[in-house]
Amino acid sequence: MDEDIIKREEADDKMINEAFQQLLDDYLASRHRKKVDLITKAFNFARQAHKGVRRLSGEPYIMHPIAVAQIVCSEIGLGSTSICSALLHDVVEDTDYTVEDIANIFGPKIAQIVDGLTKISGGIFGEQASAQAENFKKLLLTMSDDIRVILIKIADRLHNMRTLESQPANKQYKIAGETLYIYAPLAHRLGLYKIKSELENLSFRFDHPDEYRAIEQKLALTQASRHELFDSFTAPIEEKLQKMGIEYTIKERVKSPFSIWNKMQNKHVTFEEIYDILAVRIIFKPKNREEEANECFNIYLACSKIYKSHPDRLRDWVSHPKANGYQALHVTLMSKQGRWIEVQIRSDRMDEIAEQGLAAHWKYKEGEEYSEDENELNEWLGTIKEILDDPQPDAMDFLDSIKLNLFSTEIMVFTPKGEIRTMPAGATALDFAFSIHTFLGSHCIGAKVNHKLVPLSHKLSGGDQVEIITSKSQHVQPSWINFVSTAKAKAKIQSILRRDNRETQKAGEELLQEWLKKNGFEPSLPNIDQLAEFHDIRRREEFYLALGEKNIILGEKDLDELKGKNKKKDNGGSGWRKYVPFVKSKKNEQEKPKQELFIVPENFNKKKPIYISEDTIHQYRFRNCCHPIPGDDIMGYIDNRNRIEIHKRACPIAAKLKTSYGNRILDAKWDMHKKMYFIAVIHLSGIDRIGLLNEITQIISSQMNVNIRNINITCDDGLFDASIELKVHDREDSKNIIDNLKKLEDLKEISEII
């Protein structure tokens, strides 16, 4: 036995030393100043601190900090300060060492970064708190001290995602949902495209394993035809570039499985109908750094003489780089096979910035906080600080407003004096007003765009010149929130409205407390939450506001709810219908006898999956946001009253739940046996002709023996559009119907509305 332990320890030591040596080799090969002693000191300190601790996968814990440091060094391109901080990032949180200890041994800068990383992952949150959203808020607050905190945190998340296999399924959904909601868009905004893409793919792989595998298989099957298209398309371009004497490499860029799946969901298309899976990237070494922008356009002109370019799809990020520093020229060319192919033209410097983002753009000088070229970064941090300055009660609102800016592409607009302002695409005149000053936004009554009068909601286009018109009598309106798109405008409008709403809210709260006392009930939070949920309101503040505005008048039904008299209605009858996705049983036309909803006990094992069968389906709540049916990837969520809601894992509500209430997520699986019917909706479009509808219904009803519940058809100029509601057992049934319908001539598009 002792011999086995010794052998295991020897194998562990060998593995740890090899991993650290690889890190040192990669660091020495980089362009950073060589501080090997400091990195070795941090490694030995962390190794000693984590001694004897193992991860869920079974490997020694120190392998995680080494892997994070490896990502920081090789994939993000940072130097010794960041590598040391990555090696030490879990020491304060997981061991007895303090930030002061780190400061005494490694100096104040590394200690500050480690402290920032500890603040993000630490913290005590109540059951109701949206812990991850609060963490994100802290993350952004810490960013303003040192951007390296967020870069190391992204590296930490990337390694956790790469090793997510060892976690139970409910944890996988929580971490994958949080990654997709927070970390992937953050990596995107910081220009870390490679990491952003990997985070998305890993999240997709754990959330939807079957669909991920299916897309991977299809990509492998179509690889040969893609290579053929790439070779024939690039051959004449290579010939031309060689004649021009340009030093270049041409790469084949394949759309990621997540991007493909996303497009399939959003556009309701199949894998075969996606035409931009292949893109071509030309990376050149400029003869003269000063002239690299001109060389991009010279290559574009050379390509457009060989192939016809798409006039509306030229994207010039060379002259106007994105806020994260990204530069490239994107052009779409028509290949000889009749396929549009996007070509990305960039210099080797632009390519490094595109892959490594800010780390390549702002090369840190050791011993100093930042390099001098950080104006754009500070501008972005400035907008975040403005949002943080306004204390918001709901961290999820904050998260959404930040996401608005993380995802957006940009347009350039001009002030009346000709100054350029960068705004997100889709920004309105009101967004522009708030971007200049809160006073200007809150008193804005309209704008002049290119000297023409336009309303507040007018969407701006690139190159517009905008002048804001104000009036002292104008005040912020609740409807404004519906058409502004920037995080700053949304945050300021909500802040002003909240200030106005506070008095109404307070009046509503007092009204509620009086009513509860008058009827013999304690004005406790559980009672208030129960009433709020009875009125289908998730947040207490909204409930108070609705009471204050007299949108809700408390009465007999509310008393019955508190006394528990409404429970029968909640579990059966007409009220039950909206929570149940199935229609009837196959064996008989009667629904199953009504059952009580399952209430989660205190000692419930959240790591084990719950199984939904014909016998247990009545015990769970099916909210009407996503209508899951057997065959869908699903998860459970424990609500405020300890009941279990079932959601599709791709449902937008589920995405928020995974990010805000990760500790309440459950793994859920179907255990159905084709005894129940569920509603599925199929969308069809094509060329209208006599007898087509008859052929469609024949296939569905006669051949497939499936009942049509509802059908809607519109015809216009020889084209038709139809949606058909079917009664199916599961997604497999609806897929078979779609496969059969595809054989019909004149049907051009068929998809399932998921």
Side-chain angles (χ1 to χ4, degrees), residues 252 279 291 349 353 410 432 567 611 680 690 727 742:
E252 182 180 346
E291 295 292 315
R349 181 190 65 83
I353 289 169
E410 289 134 346
F432 181 80
K567 282 214 164 125
Y611 288 90
I690 295 166
K727 282 156 70 173
K742 279 182 177 174

Side-chain angles (χ1 to χ4, degrees), residues 448-662:
K448 278 186 180 176
V449 173
N450 306 328
H451 310 293
K452 284 182 186 168
L453 204 60
V454 297
L456 300 178
S457 56
H458 176 82
K459 282 195 177 176
L460 302 176
S461 303
D464 280 349
Q465 190 165 24
V466 189
E467 183 189 342
I468 298 301
I469 301 162
T470 60
S471 162
K472 283 185 181 175
S473 61
Q474 176 70 296
H475 295 290
V476 171
Q477 306 296 315
S479 59
W480 288 7
I481 210 84
N482 300 324
F483 58 77
V484 290
S485 68
T486 57
K488 182 177 178 180
K490 266 196 187 326
K492 290 297 175 193
I493 292 166
Q494 282 170 335
S495 170
I496 294 162
L497 288 175
R498 261 200 310 278
R499 199 171 60 217
D500 297 344
N501 284 343
R502 269 179 210 132
E503 285 180 27
T504 317
Q505 219 168 289
K506 205 166 184 330
E509 190 177 353
E510 286 167 3
L511 201 110
L512 175 62
Q513 288 182 345
E514 277 174 35
W515 183 86
L516 284 166
K517 282 175 188 170
K518 189 177 132 190
N519 289 289
F521 287 99
E522 197 63 37
S524 63
L525 293 181
N527 281 342
I528 293 167
D529 286 342
Q530 189 177 344
L531 285 173
E533 191 155 341
F534 179 63
H535 287 280
D536 224 17
I537 295 174
R538 277 185 188 258
R539 282 170 49 197
R540 232 172 272 148
E541 291 80 8
E542 284 177 25
F543 186 48
Y544 295 150
L545 190 64
L547 289 166
E549 288 174 338
K550 305 283 190 290
N551 290 337
I552 292 175
I553 307 290
L554 298 169
E556 285 298 316
K557 284 183 180 177
D558 299 279
L559 279 176
D560 289 346
E561 171 63 19
L562 289 173
K563 289 172 185 171
K565 290 183 183 176
N566 288 338
K567 282 214 164 125
K568 281 177 189 167
K569 186 187 167 189
D570 191 35
N571 292 345
S574 59
W576 176 246
R577 172 67 63 191
K578 69 173 181 176
Y579 297 123
V580 180
F582 50 85
V583 263
K584 32 182 103 132
S585 161
K586 195 173 185 179
K587 286 183 178 172
N588 55 44
E589 294 297 294
Q590 295 299 311
E591 282 186 12
K592 287 255 176 191
K594 308 294 178 280
Q595 293 178 10
E596 290 290 318
L597 285 173
F598 176 69
I599 303 296
V600 175
E602 261 184 56
N603 58 350
F604 189 71
N605 185 350
K606 293 179 188 174
K607 288 182 183 178
K608 283 189 174 177
I610 53 168
Y611 288 90
I612 300 173
S613 66
E614 286 84 357
D615 295 327
T616 62
I617 195 165
H618 300 78
Q619 297 175 16
Y620 305 109
R621 302 181 82 201
F622 289 79
R623 302 307 294 253
N624 47 11
C625 50
C626 59
H627 298 295
I629 74 170
D632 288 330
D633 291 333
I634 53 168
M635 61 167 229
Y637 163 71
I638 302 169
D639 71 10
N640 292 347
R641 289 163 75 177
N642 287 327
R643 301 167 303 187
I644 296 174
E645 289 179 11
I646 304 298
H647 292 268
K648 285 185 195 172
R649 298 209 284 269
C651 162
I653 301 291
K656 283 199 175 190
L657 296 174
K658 284 187 273 193
T659 308
S660 330
Y661 305 102

Side-chain angles (χ1 to χ4, degrees), residues 112-113 115-121 125 131-151 153 182-183 186 369-370 378 380-392 395 398-399 402:
Q112 183 193 351
I113 296 171
D115 187 34
L117 288 158
T118 308
K119 277 179 189 161
I120 293 160
S121 46
F125 304 100
Q132 289 82 355
E134 286 293 348
N135 279 340
F136 185 60
K137 206 165 181 177
K138 285 183 181 179
L139 187 80
L140 291 161
L141 278 165
T142 324
M143 266 177 81
S144 52
D145 296 332
D146 197 319
I147 188 74
R148 285 173 282 196
V149 170
I150 197 126
L151 292 167
K153 188 64 192 170
I182 297 170
Y183 290 95
L186 243 188
E369 280 192 44
Y370 298 108
N378 276 344
W380 186 57
L381 287 176
T383 63
I384 285 171
K385 279 181 192 169
E386 279 179 12
I387 296 165
L388 290 167
D389 287 342
D390 174 41
Q392 295 203 2
F398 165 80
L399 200 48
I402 288 289

Side-chain angles (χ1 to χ4, degrees), residues 68-261:
V68 174
Q70 182 74 51
I71 293 167
V72 162
C73 173
S74 309
E75 297 181 52
I76 304 180
L78 297 175
S80 60
T81 305
S82 300
I83 292 168
C84 291
S85 303
L87 286 167
L88 300 165
H89 80 273
D90 277 334
V91 167
V92 174
E93 195 183 344
D94 295 345
T95 73
D96 294 333
Y97 289 103
T98 64
V99 175
E100 286 72 29
D101 296 330
I102 304 286
N104 292 333
I105 303 165
F106 297 98
K109 179 47 66 183
I110 288 172
Q112 183 193 351
I113 296 171
V114 171
D115 187 34
L117 288 158
T118 308
K119 277 179 189 161
I120 293 160
S121 46
I124 301 155
F125 304 100
E127 267 294 293
Q128 307 295 319
S130 43
Q132 289 82 355
E134 286 293 348
N135 279 340
F136 185 60
K137 206 165 181 177
K138 285 183 181 179
L139 187 80
L140 291 161
L141 278 165
T142 324
M143 266 177 81
S144 52
D145 296 332
D146 197 319
I147 188 74
R148 285 173 282 196
V149 170
I150 197 126
L151 292 167
I152 297 165
K153 188 64 192 170
I154 287 170
D156 178 39
R157 177 50 59 116
L158 179 59
H159 185 247
N160 283 334
M161 287 301 295
R162 285 174 178 171
T163 54
L164 202 56
E165 293 278 7
S166 51
Q167 292 281 2
N170 64 325
K171 270 279 183 70
Q172 287 178 354
Y173 304 152
K174 167 201 171 300
I175 294 166
E178 194 181 295
T179 301
L180 213 49
Y181 198 80
I182 297 170
Y183 290 95
L186 243 188
H188 174 77
R189 195 67 173 88
L190 294 170
L192 301 165
Y193 291 114
K194 210 173 175 186
I195 288 175
K196 169 237 179 193
S197 189
E198 190 178 346
L199 287 173
E200 286 175 342
N201 278 329
L202 287 166
S203 300
F204 172 41
R205 188 182 130 206
F206 287 106
D207 241 356
H208 305 283
D210 296 338
E211 287 166 52
Y212 178 83
R213 272 194 300 273
I215 290 173
E216 285 272 77
Q217 283 167 0
K218 284 178 180 173
L219 281 172
L221 287 171
T222 54
Q223 192 174 8
S225 61
R226 264 198 320 275
H227 285 334
E228 205 177 298
L229 175 62
F230 174 78
D231 292 340
S232 63
F233 179 77
T234 55
I237 294 175
E238 293 210 47
E239 200 181 314
K240 185 72 178 168
L241 293 178
Q242 282 159 10
K243 278 182 189 169
M244 292 165 75
I246 291 168
E247 198 180 323
Y248 70 91
T249 52
I250 293 191
K251 290 180 182 173
E252 182 180 346
R253 192 192 66 85
V254 179
K255 211 175 185 68
S256 69
F258 173 78
S259 299
I260 291 168
W261 178 76

